[in-house]
Amino acid sequence: MIRVLIAEDEPPILRRTKRLIEHIDPDFAVAAVAADGEEALEKMRAEHFDVLFTDIRMPVMDGMKLMNRVQTLYPECSI
């Protein structure tokens, strides 16, 4: 099972992205979601994720900063 974390601050887009990921390939499971980059990093500290899907424009920490932090702290996670 490929564990996915989605960082997205707009609920309709988050729901659609989750459905799309899980529909395309049953090996992918959305294990967690976050409303901003800081929340996503907190979840990554607590659990392992194989893939991160992120929005670019989010409050608190945007997707660009999140991607940079994830690449540094969790280089095994695909973005």
Side-chain angles (χ1 to χ4, degrees):
M1 186 67 55
I2 298 168
R3 294 175 48 82
V4 176
L5 169 62
I6 302 173
E8 170 60 63
D9 62 321
E10 296 190 37
I13 296 172
L14 173 63
R15 286 190 301 271
R16 186 167 185 195
T17 302
K18 181 180 185 301
R19 259 194 322 265
L20 184 64
I21 290 168
E22 291 179 336
H23 176 75
I24 288 174
D25 189 333
D27 288 336
F28 283 74
V30 177
V33 298
D36 60 63
E38 189 60 45
E39 183 181 352
L41 279 179
E42 288 174 18
K43 292 184 184 254
M44 292 194 81
R45 286 183 198 110
E47 328 178 32
H48 167 79
F49 297 98
D50 301 299
V51 178
L52 168 67
F53 285 87
T54 184
D55 185 5
I56 297 299
R57 292 183 152 189
M58 295 183 291
V60 185
M61 178 189 296
D62 67 33
M64 297 302 290
K65 289 181 186 173
L66 173 60
M67 288 188 291
N68 288 332
R69 298 283 303 275
V70 169
Q71 286 176 336
T72 300
L73 298 171
Y74 309 99
E76 72 282 356
C77 183
S78 297
I79 301 170

